[in-house]
Amino acid sequence: MAKTKTAYFCQNCGAQYAKWIGQCTSCKQWNTVVEEVVQKEEKKAWKASSSTLQKATKPLLVRDIANDKEIRLNTLDQEFNRVLGGGLVPGSLTLLGGEPGIGKSTLLLQIALKLSYKTLYVSGEESQKQIKMRADRVHPNSENCFILTETKTQNIFQQIVALEPDLVVIDSIQTLHSDYIESAAGSISQIRECTAELIKFAKESNTPVILVGHITKDGTIAGPKILEHMVDTVLQFEGDRNYVYRILRSLKNRFGSTAELGIYEMQGSGLREVNNPSEVLISKNDQDLSGTAIAATVEGMRPLLLEIQALVSTAVYGTPQRSATGFNAKRLNMLLAVLEKRAGFKLAAKDVFLNITGGISIDDPATDLAVIAAILSSNSDIAIEKGACFAAEVGLAGEIRPVQRIDQRILEAEKLGFQTIYVSKNNKIGLKKTKIQVKLASKIEQVVVELFG
Ligand code: TYD
Ligand code: MG
């Protein structure tokens, strides 16, 4: 019997060593190197037909490469298509990461069930009965979706050869194991080997494959970074589990932009696509509430109107509390310092809480002015005039700075029936005539006077 071979792998970056070391020399992380059994054999799980194996590719002039019209597999899910850049590219590998329970399995099962192509959904996490129960909830009558509960890649490929599906979904890559590697499922070498086998299969059969990837505590996809390098597209599914909204982002996309964003709402019957996000994210409250302001933001390429809530109260303890949900806490501190220094508001002895409703987190600097407006409104207990929204960054000198894509923001606000929008004086506005009143400001004092008199 062959001697078992072992090697040492860094669990952070995937670097391989012959012996154990305390600090990985390539990524400089401590205590990440662990021993794993590797036993490579020559033959691989996915065997291509001999004709493709022998065909070595020759270099070609770019202009001679056949430019077939790009065909993409329409997933019938507008949000998913948008994030992918127009649908799944044949032969591509897509990795979907996200925290446990966020809805990765639900999203992919839902897509697989809806498609009119033959799809194979491979699960290493749930039994066929469990998946059936979920399928009945999200899309009861599906004609073309096959469910396989298997974790061994060799067996999966056997079924794929027999079934010839048009789309393969693997839930999840961390549960797969290949016979050619000895170490446990979920280990670096297993993940790498299984992904490599799947890539080979995808490229040779021109079938798109979607993988589910678990996320570690610090928010990165479990397994080596190389997993992200190996696949064509990396998507991230995020959101607060206690809220119903989920955001699908693309972190890497070889076939499209990474600026796109998809929004879903988790319902009892699966995930619903949210095509008009601004309408659902703003509460339709008729009462005048102090401490809320609407920000006209842009996430990726999409304009998005968000409601920002602030609560300012007298600090009970010596050190005031500052807490922000969905907004960068450091930025909040900076804005408070600006208010203190430039606009003369005494907030040093006040607790300030900030919340972006809907469980969405945002890092568009154009929310600054709305955050300031919400804080001042709560501080003075005066509601902001109805139908007003904000789109501007605030600088350290208290100046109101221009933001990108201002026309898009103004149009979205107008579409949703807002009457006024506060923007920077220095923003170049391309729009000629707008129903919405655009108020230009260059300093926060000006906005304060406008809003609170
Ligand atoms: P799941 O897809 O299992 O998450 P992941 O695969 O990312 O771990 O999602 C599970 C959550 O979704 C669970 O908490 C229940 C909720 N859910 C609904 O609210 N409605 C539904 O129709 C389904 C199927 C799940
Ligand atoms: Mg799951």
Side-chain angles (χ1 to χ4, degrees), residues 104-105 125-126 134 171 212:
K104 302 181 292 298
S105 309
E125 305 200 328
E126 288 155 296
R134 187 192 299 236
D171 188 4
V212 170

Side-chain angles (χ1 to χ4, degrees), residues 39-41 43-45 154 178-182 197:
Q39 200 170 39
K40 275 246 160 79
E41 281 185 35
K43 67 178 193 303
K44 283 276 176 260
Q154 281 76 12
S178 165
D179 266 356
Y180 303 117
I181 297 273
E182 288 275 315
E197 285 174 12

Side-chain angles (χ1 to χ4, degrees), residues 1-72:
M1 213 184 96
K3 204 170 145 249
T4 5
K5 259 211 229 146
T6 64
Y8 295 81
F9 291 95
C10 169
Q11 302 290 310
N12 185 50
C13 69
Q16 188 177 351
Y17 299 97
K19 58 179 198 240
W20 188 83
I21 47 171
Q23 186 188 24
C24 171
T25 50
S26 83
C27 70
K28 305 281 181 267
Q29 290 285 319
W30 287 92
N31 286 328
T32 53
V33 177
V34 291
E35 184 176 18
E36 281 181 18
V37 183
V38 275
Q39 200 170 39
K40 275 246 160 79
E41 281 185 35
E42 276 309 297
K43 67 178 193 303
K44 283 276 176 260
W46 171 253
K47 263 208 244 118
S49 57
S50 53
S51 65
T52 49
L53 271 183
Q54 277 150 19
K55 219 183 344 169
T57 48
K58 280 198 211 108
L60 277 179
L61 278 172
V62 176
R63 60 154 205 260
D64 293 343
I65 298 173
N67 183 15
D68 305 333
K69 197 167 175 323
E70 189 186 60
I71 326 157
R72 290 195 186 222

Side-chain angles (χ1 to χ4, degrees), residues 167-419:
L167 169 70
V168 178
V169 176
I170 307 276
D171 188 4
S172 64
I173 184 72
Q174 276 86 3
T175 55
L176 289 196
H177 71 99
S178 165
D179 266 356
Y180 303 117
I181 297 273
E182 288 275 315
S183 57
S187 64
I188 300 280
S189 37
Q190 277 292 5
I191 291 178
R192 190 157 50 183
E193 172 67 20
C194 296
T195 314
E197 285 174 12
L198 284 164
I199 288 182
K200 208 152 175 264
F201 155 70
K203 302 283 172 227
E204 277 165 18
S205 64
N206 229 6
T207 312
V209 177
I210 308 181
L211 306 174
V212 170
H214 292 167
I215 254 181
T216 57
K217 253 193 301 188
D218 55 354
T220 53
I221 290 171
K225 199 81 188 155
I226 39 168
L227 181 59
E228 286 172 52
H229 289 301
M230 287 165 93
V231 300
D232 299 304
T233 306
V234 181
L235 304 181
Q236 175 135 320
F237 207 32
E238 56 187 44
D240 195 320
R241 255 201 305 162
N242 302 319
Y243 288 94
V244 290
Y245 296 107
R246 306 279 185 271
I247 291 186
L248 184 70
R249 277 177 213 280
S250 110
L251 304 182
K252 162 186 173 179
N253 193 349
R254 283 191 184 145
F255 315 109
S257 142
T258 53
E260 290 292 357
L261 186 87
I263 302 181
Y264 293 91
E265 183 182 353
M266 183 61 100
Q267 295 185 328
S269 55
L271 290 153
R272 184 182 73 88
E273 299 164 34
V274 178
N275 299 322
N276 49 350
S278 302
E279 277 180 26
V280 290
L281 291 173
I282 297 173
S283 62
K284 292 176 190 63
N285 216 329
D286 283 337
Q287 297 152 1
D288 286 341
L289 293 175
S290 69
T292 52
I294 309 290
T297 67
V298 169
E299 261 299 278
M301 308 290 274
R302 269 176 114 169
L304 195 65
L305 267 78
L306 289 175
E307 190 171 324
I308 295 184
Q309 291 194 312
L311 178 67
V312 179
S313 64
T314 314
V316 186
Y317 304 106
T319 331
Q321 292 187 61
R322 265 75 216 266
S323 123
T325 315
F327 189 78
N328 187 336
K330 283 198 182 128
R331 190 137 193 114
L332 172 63
N333 282 332
M334 186 205 94
L335 292 175
L336 289 173
V338 171
L339 277 178
E340 185 100 40
K341 175 106 181 168
R342 308 283 174 191
F345 286 94
K346 296 275 163 285
L347 294 165
K350 301 278 174 104
D351 286 342
V352 179
F353 303 96
L354 194 75
N355 181 30
I356 296 191
T357 52
I360 292 203
S361 68
I362 198 104
D363 50 7
D364 181 0
T367 40
D368 286 359
L369 192 58
V371 168
I372 284 194
I375 291 170
L376 294 180
S377 160
S378 173
N379 190 42
S380 60
D381 205 16
I382 300 174
I384 290 170
E385 63 185 71
K386 271 218 136 10
C389 62
F390 305 86
E393 187 181 339
V394 175
L396 289 179
E399 83 277 23
I400 301 203
R401 304 173 61 91
V403 290
Q404 47 144 344
R405 297 182 188 281
I406 191 73
D407 294 352
Q408 233 181 323
R409 298 173 202 258
I410 296 174
L411 284 177
E412 179 77 3
E414 186 179 272
K415 203 173 89 192
L416 290 169
F418 282 85
Q419 278 104 43

Side-chain angles (χ1 to χ4, degrees), residues 79-136:
E79 302 292 300
F80 200 70
N81 280 348
R82 179 206 308 275
V83 176
L84 288 171
L88 284 165
V89 173
S92 68
L93 229 76
T94 306
L95 176 67
L96 175 69
E99 283 183 28
I102 202 79
K104 302 181 292 298
S105 309
T106 309
L107 176 66
L108 294 182
L109 182 65
Q110 193 174 315
I111 287 170
L113 291 171
K114 257 197 259 170
L115 277 182
S116 52
Y117 303 93
K118 211 193 282 177
T119 55
L120 177 65
Y121 182 96
V122 185
S123 179
E125 305 200 328
E126 288 155 296
S127 69
Q128 269 162 329
K129 276 228 178 66
Q130 282 173 314
I131 298 172
K132 164 83 179 148
M133 272 162 59
R134 187 192 299 236
D136 285 343

